[in-house]
Amino acid sequence: MITFFAALALLILGYVFYSKFIEKVFGVDDQTPTPAYAQGDNVDFVPMSWWKGNLIQLLNIAGLGPIYGAVAGALYGPVAFIWIVVGCIFAGAVHDYFSGMMSMRHGGAQFPSLVGRYLGKHAKAFINGISLVLMLLVAAAFTAGPAQLIAQITPVSFMVALVLIFGYFIVATILPINQLIGRIYPLLGAILLFMAIAVAVALVFSGKPMPNLTFSNLHPGDLPIWPLLMVTISCGAISGFHCTQSPIIARTMKKETDGRKIFYGAMVIEGVIALIWAAAGMTFFSGTDGLGAALAAGGPSGVVNEISITLLGTMGGILAIFGVIILPITTGDTALRSSRMILGELVSKFYKTDGKLKILLITIPLAIPTFFMATIDYTFLWRYVGWTNQVVATFMLWTATMYLLKNYKFHWISGVPAVFMTGVVSMYIFYAPEGLNMEYHIAAIIGSVITLAVVLWYAAQIIRHRPSKEVDSEYEAV
């Protein structure tokens, strides 16, 4: 229990202190009009309060990610606590802050546009493709799961449930953000947080011993921590999906100082949720062996349902069903909204996307393939979300690093986690079963060579963008 509360305290301290350092490095200015005012269109560019932005951002980036991913990541043992805390404070929250604030500074630009501006047109072309694939995969995966559960507990068939969910998706995608998302999602975000806190309180008073971090139990089992843990627990530590969602809220910010509370704050809250569910998975089933058996028998949804109902009773059952159905849907619809915004930027030179009818015409070509992918098995889809997701996160960190380098700011805050994540994704694609499925040591060698090449490129960029004597003092002061 000491480890759990220590990790929780570190996450809170990370927000209180490190987020302020990140904000100082970025440099905020509340005198500059935000895109919500400068480009207001009553659809995407609509001013909203920071607390609404925070809760909507939390719901958009979370869904079931910090629950399912944390439960699966708990199989690695208490080392999962380390990754959630360190990953969240120094990588994920930095990633989310810069993705939101850079979008805001560039008129609400989508992530691929930021990549193109700071990493070049070839990187932008690659990211445009992989971001759209990620959005469609997430939307499909987060539709298939709820539709399957609806079909199991109601007379409604899977296909009818799928049609109903996609009907909602299209409506939520084309409506102004303040009409549906702005009114309902803050409440749903609060419910997500309440659900996690209720589980945490019940777990503390359950009498079950929480695992403490020791050298003997750091990582039970045979699963290699590197790089699997960093892909298994993405939501709650660092997730590339978040940088595709941040521009949605960046277009609604009233002032720049709200960014720390919205973007860094929402990521830390997600880290807290992941920490709670990782602890619940290890504690409730008396260790990783019991958790592994429960996951094999009922999957993540079965584990979440059992924990919720046992610890919280009837209310827990209601919350579990609510969470497994509603939360993925609310992430899926914003994934489709983001893909609509990305595609809108791509075709903006040839096709103006103003007006609901034109927005609908942009949305339909995205919704159709997503609908058909949703008929594929959920677990199969989710396997391909993982690596794609972390590749996007890596590119966002490098984009932030180049932004800081070009502006003579303290680039290490994003550069170091960028190198780390480069190592993760470079090895994972060669080692993982859904990748090339190579031997561990061969994949490690190839991944190391790729990472070294990227580090050398980074070193060259540092030399190229070395600050002149005029800005040396300011650079060193930060």
Side-chain angles (χ1 to χ4, degrees):
M1 192 172 293
I2 294 175
T3 299
F4 172 76
F5 281 108
L8 183 61
L10 287 172
L11 284 172
I12 295 171
L13 290 172
Y15 173 74
V16 171
F17 295 105
Y18 196 63
S19 69
K20 291 181 179 179
F21 175 69
I22 298 299
E23 182 183 61
K24 180 182 177 183
V25 172
F26 181 81
V28 292
D29 179 11
D30 282 345
Q31 301 304 311
T32 304
T34 62
Y37 295 107
Q39 298 168 233
D41 63 0
N42 291 320
V43 178
D44 295 318
F45 294 88
V46 181
M48 289 197 303
S49 61
W50 73 263
W51 65 267
K52 277 190 176 182
N54 173 275
L55 288 172
I56 295 171
Q57 175 76 356
L58 173 64
L59 196 66
N60 289 356
I61 67 177
L64 288 177
I67 301 176
Y68 280 12
V71 166
L75 285 173
Y76 293 84
V79 69
F81 295 153
I82 297 177
W83 170 235
I84 290 170
V85 171
V86 176
C88 180
I89 294 172
F90 297 105
V94 173
H95 167 282
D96 288 15
Y97 181 81
F98 276 96
S99 65
M101 296 301 287
M102 288 176 64
S103 172
M104 181 271 304
R105 280 281 175 89
H106 293 88
Q110 289 294 298
F111 165 60
S113 294
L114 298 176
V115 171
R117 180 182 289 266
Y118 292 101
L119 296 181
K121 62 180 181 180
H122 298 299
K124 179 181 179 180
F126 172 75
I127 282 299
N128 263 318
I130 202 168
S131 294
L132 284 172
V133 168
L134 175 61
M135 292 301 93
L136 299 186
L137 280 171
V138 169
F142 277 10
T143 305
Q148 289 170 359
L149 184 58
I150 290 172
Q152 291 171 8
I153 64 176
T154 71
V156 177
S157 69
F158 171 77
M159 191 55 66
V160 171
L162 210 58
V163 171
L164 291 173
I165 292 171
F166 265 89
Y168 164 77
F169 275 11
I170 292 174
V171 170
T173 300
I174 64 176
L175 280 178
I177 190 168
N178 61 329
Q179 287 189 8
L180 179 63
I181 293 175
R183 291 177 180 175
I184 299 175
Y185 284 26
L187 174 62
L188 299 180
I191 291 173
L192 171 65
L193 182 57
F194 171 78
M195 181 181 176
I197 293 173
V199 168
V201 172
L203 200 64
V204 169
F205 291 99
S206 68
K208 294 178 178 289
M210 285 190 183
N212 284 316
L213 191 63
T214 65
F215 286 109
S216 61
N217 75 345
L218 181 67
H219 174 49
D222 300 323
L223 290 171
I225 296 174
W226 177 273
L228 299 186
L229 176 62
M230 293 77 192
V231 176
T232 302
I233 301 181
S234 53
C235 294
I238 179 171
S239 169
F241 177 68
H242 297 186
C243 69
T244 66
Q245 301 301 292
S246 295
I248 295 177
I249 306 303
R251 297 180 177 195
T252 70
M253 291 170 55
K254 289 185 173 182
K255 55 184 180 179
E256 291 194 358
T257 50
D258 287 345
R260 184 175 70 91
K261 293 174 282 190
I262 293 172
F263 301 114
Y264 202 104
M267 183 63 221
V268 169
I269 294 172
E270 189 183 37
V272 170
I273 293 171
L275 184 72
I276 289 169
W277 281 101
M282 283 181 266
T283 304
F284 186 84
F285 297 99
S286 302
T288 55
D289 290 339
L291 174 60
L295 285 170
S301 61
V303 167
V304 171
N305 287 349
E306 186 175 350
I307 291 173
S308 300
I309 293 170
T310 304
L311 292 179
L312 303 176
T314 303
M315 179 58 70
I318 294 172
L319 285 173
I321 293 173
F322 175 85
V324 173
I325 293 177
I326 299 298
L327 295 178
I329 292 175
T330 58
T331 300
D333 71 355
T334 52
L336 194 61
R337 190 182 187 95
S338 294
S339 62
R340 183 262 291 172
M341 290 162 67
I342 291 173
L343 185 59
E345 279 195 357
L346 276 173
V347 302
S348 60
K349 291 182 179 180
F350 315 101
Y351 178 80
K352 297 299 181 183
T353 58
D354 54 319
K356 289 185 175 62
L357 179 59
K358 290 184 177 181
I359 291 174
L360 179 62
L361 292 176
I362 285 285
T363 303
I364 289 175
L366 298 167
I368 291 173
T370 307
F371 180 87
F372 285 104
M373 281 196 295
T375 62
I376 302 172
D377 179 60
Y378 168 85
T379 55
F380 176 82
L381 286 173
W382 195 247
R383 286 173 60 187
Y384 289 91
V385 169
W387 181 76
T388 309
N389 184 47
Q390 299 305 62
V391 167
V392 170
T394 304
F395 268 82
M396 182 60 237
L397 286 170
W398 282 121
T399 302
T401 303
M402 287 305 300
Y403 168 82
L404 293 171
L405 272 170
K406 289 183 177 182
N407 287 279
Y408 306 111
K409 296 178 182 288
F410 193 72
H411 56 87
W412 301 106
I413 55 174
S414 57
V416 171
V419 170
F420 180 87
M421 290 305 299
T422 299
V424 169
V425 298
S426 296
M427 180 178 175
Y428 186 90
I429 192 60
F430 293 100
Y431 175 66
E434 62 268 28
L436 299 179
N437 202 21
M438 293 183 175
E439 293 290 333
Y440 186 86
H441 68 281
I442 296 176
I445 292 172
I446 298 174
S448 298
V449 171
I450 294 173
T451 304
L452 178 60
V454 173
V455 169
L456 292 175
W457 168 82
Y458 182 25
Q461 296 303 314
I462 293 173
I463 295 171
R464 179 183 176 187
H465 295 93
R466 182 171 177 78
S468 61
K469 291 182 179 179
E470 288 76 13
V471 296
D472 263 342
S473 58
E474 179 184 350
Y475 181 79
E476 290 171 359
V478 174

